[in-house]
């Protein structure tokens, strides 16, 4: 499969699910979501980087940190 085919499949599934953000969904969404989800369950950074095929450490760190923005937030104690 080439990236365009994967994107078409993902958009088709998003339409079938009646998501209102179909235009924003792509194969990148899966890759990025993988990084944040894997980090949230304790996967090692190098393992995440290798599985996602990233060469740039900073990009992986950004995805992981973005997914953890509210993990240590004091407001979580109020919920």
């Amino acid at each position: 499969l080439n990236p365009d085919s994967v994107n078409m499949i993902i958009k088709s599934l998003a339409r079938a699910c009646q998501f209102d953000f179909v235009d924003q969904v792509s194969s990148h969404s899966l890759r990025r979501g993988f990084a944040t989800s894997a980090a949230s369950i304790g996967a090692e950074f190098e393992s995440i980087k290798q599985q996602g095929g990233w060469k740039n450490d900073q990009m992986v760190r950004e995805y992981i940190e973005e997914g953890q923005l509210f993990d240590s937030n004091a407001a979580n104690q109020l919920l």
Side-chain angles (χ1 to χ4, degrees):
L1 291 174
N2 69 45
D4 290 334
S5 297
V6 174
N7 285 333
M8 287 178 19
I9 292 167
I10 292 169
K11 287 183 186 299
S12 175
L13 290 170
R15 267 188 227 91
C17 292
Q18 300 180 348
F19 292 157
D20 58 356
F21 50 88
V22 173
D23 292 339
Q24 298 170 335
V25 179
S26 69
S27 58
H28 180 259
S29 306
L30 297 178
R31 201 166 168 230
R32 183 177 189 149
F34 163 75
T36 56
S37 295
S40 74
I41 61 168
E44 293 183 16
F45 177 83
E46 285 300 322
S47 175
I48 295 169
K49 181 181 167 189
Q50 180 180 5
Q51 181 66 37
W54 285 282
K55 297 191 182 346
N56 183 324
D57 287 2
Q58 185 57 36
M59 188 57 57
V60 184
R61 283 192 183 94
E62 285 179 25
Y63 294 157
I64 291 170
E65 288 169 5
E66 187 174 294
Q68 296 173 341
L69 282 176
F70 298 104
D71 288 354
S72 298
N73 189 313
N76 283 335
Q77 301 300 316
L78 302 174
L79 299 176

